[in-house]
């Protein structure tokens, strides 16, 4: 009677009957897989959070997490390894991980636009070829050294090609995220790096297919030839059979209509079917999914809907399993002895030297500046998931042994880890622009064009912003008000965000939405308003992390010669009147813009200006109040109020506050400020800074201009002078106006704070009170800060008198990349 093989454990059942039935859930496949997914996701996300200050891409945290959970670190505890990752569970774990990897490679294929590769210039093509050839040749040399020491039993041909591919790969998705994080996508170095990396990526997959074909267990060269021919036939089938089918489905999914569920089902099934075909051919299932992604039409909503359906599940839950699956195979402890460590140093040196020097030298020959050429070398040295895929396939095919596999994984980790800090050190492109005159709303010639940059991050902000802009145009002719609407979108690790970044790369950052059938419905709202009104509206979208979004806002404002940046407040009002915060990151962004803006800034506390819809010009009927205490910011608020008063539907009331004789608006409190120079010295505001008399003169001069304008327009402009001798009096006067549609105030008048404790001090002493639920639930508030050249100590853009700016681009015109 035959006995069972003791080395082969019985297959795991799917589900348990529960702990109350005295069954351990970890002995069953499904509950164990759930625990593994939860552990992996929490652990890798924690590592990503720890590495975030180092500005490392999330793939670094996931690779490190996989290695730490494996036999190199935590997995050295056999009890942990046998409980959480027992050998009998690895088949299920790797199957699910590879399923996630299939769909991730489909998304990577969607990111790669072959049209952009065909348009790649000679410079990027030469750099890509050099970035592949030299490290591939050096990889061949390194393979001989490794075979003579730590990989003596490896198949010579397969090992040679695998090492060449491993050293010559550039991780296209990881590089895109690094460039986006560092805001280098629209620089010359960023454009060249992305074009070269795309060429490199396609070449690497072709070389990998060749390596897999040559690494089969059958030693006959005819078998490898058949595999290569069948793979070529599959690619032709995808181009001439699959692509027309996918294009037909994309055309039947017009903009603005839901994509049919059957089309999604067909596409996802095609991904799996093509993966099965390529696995049957013998070049790994991943190639089928990747090829389907490449031939997928990139235009229209179909590709975007597919990404939305797949990305969160794949990127958040399934893909991290692949890193753990890889980490379980990586045992760093196998690198023992001087010889092994010398091989690790050799592999790292060869990989870095080949990529960096090859790219650097050819870049210099192509007349790329020295610093850009050096940055390009380090950028092209980025490794990532594709590198791990190559190494895992080599390990599974027994081309790489445990020691060589661990050496190559550490090489990939090291080369990617050093990319961001080194590129930040060697290459920080200077933002330069030509100086311009009109940086404030208050100006000597009020008939000059007013340029506004209106920022928004959700649909909630749009109606009030449009209604405010409509009110600002007054009765002036077309061209006297120009609006740039900027949709602020957070850059994430999701492929959809990186796809949008590619669009930004092709058109400048922030980029012009040049198609009329734009997918960004928020931008479409502004485009529609621009067509219906007499206002030039030019929509843009900025994609960045909120921590550095202020750089995009400020540089765009300078590039477009804007006089006023409008920002939404970081809170929005509920129906019951309470204010809910949308996140500290938005508040921090507003603070950074206030301190670094090249022009005036307004923060709009939106309480439904004009309701939840756009108001037509003929229906505008608003009561606007300006509170005037004196000072630079209050003059800006008054200047904007005078601009609004030109609209026939606006009734403007200006309240000039006057302190009681012998008193100031400090009401006995000690007000302090900080000097604008580099010393940042604290000063006593009450004692003055030498500019108080000058400020008073400017207040009086501008007030006389306002009174002159009022005398010509007494119907729509009224004026009140209110004497206040305490904070309570001041609050009482303001509360009288709490049913107005809009209140304009300066950000930093020399007034004692009206609220003892505020979570929005960036609005200043008056604005923070007006933004509180205690004041009103009806009046929207616009808090204005006038640009002050004396405080612009660290500008985002260095003004150069002979610098040639890129001319403004009207909607419907694309920028050449």
């Amino acid at each position: 009677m035959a006995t069972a093989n003791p080395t082969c454990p019985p297959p795991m059942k799917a589900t348990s009957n529960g702990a109350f039935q005295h069954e351990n859930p970890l002995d069953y496949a499904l509950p164990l897989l759930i625990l593994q997914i939860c552990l992996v996701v929490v652990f890798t996300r924690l590592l990503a959070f720890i590495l975030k200050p180092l500005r490392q891409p999330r793939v670094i945290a996931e690779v490190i997490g996989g290695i730490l959970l494996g036999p190199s670190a935590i997995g050295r505890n056999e009890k942990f390894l046998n409980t959480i990752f027992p050998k009998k569970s690895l088949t299920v774990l790797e199957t699910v991980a590879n399923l996630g990897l299939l769909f991730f490679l489909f998304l990577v294929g969607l990111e790669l636009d072959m049209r952009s590769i065909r348009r790649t210039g000679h410079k990027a093509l030469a750099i890509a070829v050099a970035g592949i050839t030299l490290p591939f040749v050096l990889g061949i040399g390194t393979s001989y050294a490794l075979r003579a020491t730590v990989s003596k039993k490896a198949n010579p041909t397969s090992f040679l090609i695998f090492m060449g591919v491993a050293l010559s790969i550039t991780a296209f998705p990881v590089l895109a995220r690094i460039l986006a994080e560092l805001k280098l996508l629209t620089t010359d170095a960023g454009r060249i790096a992305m074009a070269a990396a795309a060429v490199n990526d396609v070449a690497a997959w072709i070389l990998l297919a060749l390596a897999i074909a040559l690494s089969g267990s059958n030693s006959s060269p005819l078998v490898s030839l058949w595999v290569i021919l069948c793979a070529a036939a599959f690619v032709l089938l995808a181009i001439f059979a699959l692509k027309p089918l996918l294009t037909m489905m994309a055309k039947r999914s017009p903009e603005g209509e839901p994509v049919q569920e059957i089309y999604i089902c067909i596409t996802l099934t095609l991904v799996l079917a093509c993966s099965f075909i390529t696995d049957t051919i013998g070049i790994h299932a991943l190639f089928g999914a990747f090829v389907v992604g490449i031939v997928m039409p990139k235009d229209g909503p179909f590709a975007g809907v597919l990404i939305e359906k797949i990305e969160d599940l794949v990127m958040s839950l399934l893909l991290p399993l692949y890193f753990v699956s890889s980490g379980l195979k990586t045992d760093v402890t196998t690198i023992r002895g001087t010889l092994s460590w010398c091989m690790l140093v050799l592999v790292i040196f060869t990989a870095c030297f080949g990529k960096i020097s090859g790219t650097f030298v050819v870049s210099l020959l192509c007349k790329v500046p020295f610093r850009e050429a050096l940055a390009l070398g380090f950028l092209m040295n980025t490794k990532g998931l594709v590198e791990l895929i190559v190494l895992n396939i080599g390990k599974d095919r027994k081309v790489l042994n445990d020691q060589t596999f661990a050496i190559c994984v550490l090489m990939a980790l090291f080369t990617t880890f050093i990319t961001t800090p080194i590129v930040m050190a060697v290459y920080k492109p200077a933002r330069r622009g030509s100086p311009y005159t009109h940086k404030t709303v208050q100006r000597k010639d009020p008939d000059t064009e007013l340029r506004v940059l209106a920022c928004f991050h959700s649909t909630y902000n749009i109606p009030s912003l449009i209604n405010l802009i409509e009110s600002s145009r007054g009765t002036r002719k077309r061209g006297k008000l120009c609006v740039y609407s900027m949709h602020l979108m957070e850059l994430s690790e999701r492929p959809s965000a990186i796809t949008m970044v590619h669009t930004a790369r092709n058109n400048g950052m922030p980029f012009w939405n040049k198609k009329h059938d734009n997918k960004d419905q928020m931008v479409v709202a502004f485009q529609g308003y621009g067509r219906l009104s007499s206002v030039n509206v030019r929509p843009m979208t900025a994609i960045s992390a909120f921590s550095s979004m202020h750089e995009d806002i400020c540089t765009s404002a300078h590039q477009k010669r804007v006089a006023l940046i409008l920002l939404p407040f970081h809170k929005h009002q509920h129906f019951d009147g309470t204010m809910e915060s949308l996140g500290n990151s938005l508040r921090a962004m507003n603070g950074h813009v206030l301190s670094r803006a090249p022009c005036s800034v307004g923060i709009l506390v939106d309480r439904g200006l004009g309701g939840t819809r756009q108001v037509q010009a003929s229906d505008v009927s608003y009561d606007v109040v300006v509170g005037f205490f004196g000072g630079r910011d209050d003059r800006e608020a008054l200047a904007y109020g005078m601009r609004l008063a030109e609209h026939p539907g606006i009734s403007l009331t200006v309240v000039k506050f006057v302190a009681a004789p012998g008193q100031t608006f400090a009401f006995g409190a000690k007000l302090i400020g900080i000097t604008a120079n580099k010393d940042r010295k604290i000063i006593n505001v009450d004692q003055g800074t030498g500019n108080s008399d000058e400020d008073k003169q400017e207040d009086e001069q501008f007030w006389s201009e306002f009174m002159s304008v009022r005398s010509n327009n007494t119907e729509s402009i009224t004026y009140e002078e209110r004497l206040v001798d305490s904070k309570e009096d001041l609050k009482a006067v303001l509360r009288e106006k709490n049913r107005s549609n809009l209140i304009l105030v300066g950000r930093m008048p020399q007034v004692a704070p009206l609220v003892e404790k505020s979570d929005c001090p960036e609005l200043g002493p008056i604005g923070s009170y007006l933004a509180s639920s205690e004041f009103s639930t009806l009046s929207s508030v616009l808090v204005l800060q006038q640009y002050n050249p004396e405080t612009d100590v660290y500008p985002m853009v260095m003004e150069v008198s002979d610098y040639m700016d890129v001319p403004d681009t009207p909607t419907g015109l694309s920028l050449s990349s």
Side-chain angles (χ1 to χ4, degrees), residues 162 208 389-401 405:
F162 264 100
L208 180 58
I389 294 169
V390 173
L391 298 176
N392 274 283
I393 293 173
K395 179 89 164 52
D396 294 340
R397 302 247 167 177
K398 298 188 171 26
V399 175
L400 307 177
N401 62 18
F405 181 77

Side-chain angles (χ1 to χ4, degrees), residues 111-177:
E111 286 185 26
L112 271 175
D113 191 347
M114 296 302 289
R115 292 172 301 183
S116 65
I117 293 177
R118 286 196 295 269
R119 291 196 300 265
T120 299
H122 298 299
K123 189 186 293 186
L125 189 60
I127 290 169
V129 171
I132 296 170
T133 307
L134 185 57
F136 192 88
V137 171
L138 291 177
I140 292 172
T142 308
S143 70
Y144 283 107
L146 288 169
R147 280 186 60 236
T149 52
V150 298
S151 294
K152 294 179 180 178
K153 297 180 182 179
N155 179 295
T157 308
S158 304
F159 187 72
L160 180 148
I161 296 178
F162 264 100
M163 286 305 299
V165 173
L167 268 64
S168 61
I169 274 179
T170 297
F172 179 78
V174 179
L175 176 64
R177 284 178 174 84

Side-chain angles (χ1 to χ4, degrees), residues 544-763:
S544 183
F546 277 129
S547 59
S548 58
M549 186 75 78
H550 65 282
E551 296 177 20
D552 295 323
I553 295 171
C554 294
T555 51
S556 297
H558 194 285
Q559 183 190 3
K560 304 307 173 192
R561 306 184 178 206
V562 164
L564 177 64
I565 299 172
L566 289 176
L567 297 170
F569 189 44
H570 71 277
K571 295 182 179 182
H572 72 82
Q573 182 173 272
H574 282 300
F575 289 109
D576 61 358
T578 57
M579 301 290 281
E580 181 190 16
S581 175
L582 298 174
N584 195 55
S585 56
L586 291 171
R587 179 192 163 198
M589 180 195 76
N590 286 354
H592 289 314
V593 174
L594 285 166
S595 61
R596 306 297 295 275
C599 60
S600 294
V601 181
I603 296 181
L604 178 62
V605 181
D606 182 14
R607 292 193 175 104
L609 179 63
T612 56
R613 62 182 180 84
Q614 177 189 333
V615 176
Q616 298 298 320
S618 57
D619 296 334
V620 169
S621 178
Y622 299 147
D623 290 324
V624 178
V625 174
V626 176
F628 188 84
F629 297 87
R632 180 183 293 273
D633 295 345
D634 279 26
R635 291 196 296 273
E636 190 76 352
L638 181 56
Y640 194 63
M642 291 161 65
R643 172 98 193 189
L644 293 175
E646 293 178 14
H647 196 292
I650 299 292
S651 174
L652 177 68
T653 302
V654 178
V655 181
K656 184 177 183 181
F657 292 92
V658 180
Q663 284 192 359
T664 65
F665 291 119
F667 302 123
K670 185 178 180 181
L671 303 182
I672 60 169
I674 300 176
T675 56
N677 57 27
K678 294 183 182 180
D679 298 335
R680 312 293 287 171
K681 195 170 80 176
I682 295 177
I683 56 170
N684 191 330
V685 175
D686 289 341
Q687 294 171 0
T689 62
N691 292 328
S692 57
D693 291 338
E694 184 182 338
D695 249 359
K696 286 178 182 176
Q697 286 178 5
E698 291 185 14
D699 285 346
E700 290 171 5
Q701 183 181 346
F702 190 63
W703 187 256
S704 63
E705 289 179 23
F706 162 70
M707 294 302 286
S708 174
V709 171
R710 176 183 172 270
S711 63
N712 297 325
N713 190 5
T714 53
E715 291 183 5
S716 61
I717 301 178
T718 56
Y719 152 66
E720 301 176 16
E721 193 169 297
R722 303 296 288 267
L723 181 71
V724 290
D725 56 8
S726 67
K727 287 198 286 187
E728 285 67 30
D729 284 355
L730 183 50
K731 285 184 181 180
V733 174
L734 290 172
R735 277 197 296 268
E736 289 176 16
K737 310 298 180 184
N738 67 2
R739 301 194 71 81
S740 307
N741 298 100
L742 179 66
I743 299 177
L744 307 179
V745 291
R747 177 173 173 249
M748 286 307 223
Q750 292 181 14
V751 180
L754 298 187
V755 286
E756 298 208 359
K757 203 170 183 183
S758 172
D759 59 350
C760 48
E762 71 274 11
L763 296 184

Side-chain angles (χ1 to χ4, degrees), residues 286-525:
L286 301 177
F287 282 91
F290 182 66
V291 170
V292 175
I294 283 183
V295 300
M296 185 82 196
K298 308 297 189 288
D299 299 327
F302 189 41
V305 170
L306 277 170
I307 291 173
E308 287 178 11
K309 298 281 185 186
I310 301 170
E311 62 179 344
D312 288 330
L313 178 65
V314 170
M315 299 292 289
S316 301
L317 296 182
L318 301 183
L319 197 60
L321 291 181
Y322 188 78
F323 293 100
V324 170
S325 170
S326 177
L328 292 172
K329 300 174 190 173
T330 309
D331 189 356
V332 178
T333 59
T334 57
I335 308 174
R336 296 192 194 95
T338 307
L339 189 62
S340 294
W341 284 103
C342 286
M343 286 298 104
L344 173 61
V345 173
L346 175 66
V347 169
I348 290 175
F349 173 78
T350 308
C352 294
F353 180 78
K355 270 286 184 189
I356 295 168
S357 61
T359 305
F360 176 68
V361 171
V362 174
S363 298
L364 289 178
L365 292 175
C366 292
K367 298 182 179 178
V368 175
F370 180 86
R371 280 182 173 270
E372 285 188 23
L374 191 59
L376 270 173
F378 282 102
L379 287 168
M380 294 299 289
N381 196 35
T382 305
K383 304 286 191 285
L385 180 60
V386 180
E387 173 86 358
L388 277 188
I389 294 169
V390 173
L391 298 176
N392 274 283
I393 293 173
K395 179 89 164 52
D396 294 340
R397 302 247 167 177
K398 298 188 171 26
V399 175
L400 307 177
N401 62 18
D402 289 347
Q403 199 169 348
T404 311
F405 181 77
I407 286 172
C408 291
V409 168
L410 290 182
M411 176 271 292
L413 192 61
F414 177 81
T415 53
T416 307
F417 194 90
I418 64 172
T419 300
T420 301
I422 290 181
V423 171
M424 287 177 69
V426 302
Y427 182 61
K428 187 68 176 175
R431 294 187 178 92
R432 297 188 300 163
S434 58
Y436 68 101
T437 306
H438 298 304
K439 297 187 175 185
T440 60
V441 179
Q442 181 193 358
R443 56 188 67 174
K444 291 180 180 177
D445 184 5
D447 289 329
T448 52
E449 181 183 56
L450 176 65
R451 293 188 168 206
V452 178
L453 177 64
C455 303
F456 60 95
H457 45 73
S458 70
T459 52
Y460 182 86
N461 311 131
I462 293 176
S464 293
L465 264 179
I466 290 180
N467 291 334
L468 181 61
I469 291 164
E470 168 61 31
S471 305
S472 305
R473 70 186 180 91
T475 55
R476 298 169 190 264
K477 297 176 182 177
R478 186 180 179 87
K480 293 299 182 182
L481 175 63
C482 180
V483 177
Y484 299 92
S485 65
M486 181 182 281
H487 184 189
L488 309 178
M489 300 185 72
E490 185 175 16
L491 175 69
S492 69
E493 296 283 339
R494 300 168 67 171
S496 58
I498 229 58
T499 303
M500 290 184 285
V501 163
H502 294 332
T503 312
R505 179 178 61 85
N506 290 331
N507 300 281
M509 178 70 137
F511 63 87
W512 296 103
N513 294 279
K514 55 186 187 301
K515 293 181 182 175
H516 290 286
D517 57 343
N518 197 286
K519 288 186 285 188
D520 191 341
Q521 297 302 319
M522 300 192 201
V523 169
V524 167

Side-chain angles (χ1 to χ4, degrees), residues 4-64:
N5 187 347
T7 61
C8 183
M12 298 179 77
K13 291 183 179 178
T15 56
S16 73
N17 292 319
F20 292 111
Q21 299 292 333
H22 306 291
E23 290 184 354
N24 184 358
L26 299 185
D27 291 335
Y28 295 84
L30 182 61
L32 181 58
L33 179 66
I34 292 170
L35 179 64
Q36 289 169 342
I37 292 174
C38 293
L39 173 66
V40 169
V41 170
V42 171
F43 189 64
T44 54
R45 288 300 175 115
L46 180 63
L47 280 174
F49 178 77
I50 293 170
L51 292 173
K52 194 172 184 181
L54 299 177
R55 302 187 77 169
Q56 293 295 329
R58 199 169 77 200
V59 67
I60 287 288
E62 290 169 333
V63 173
I64 293 174

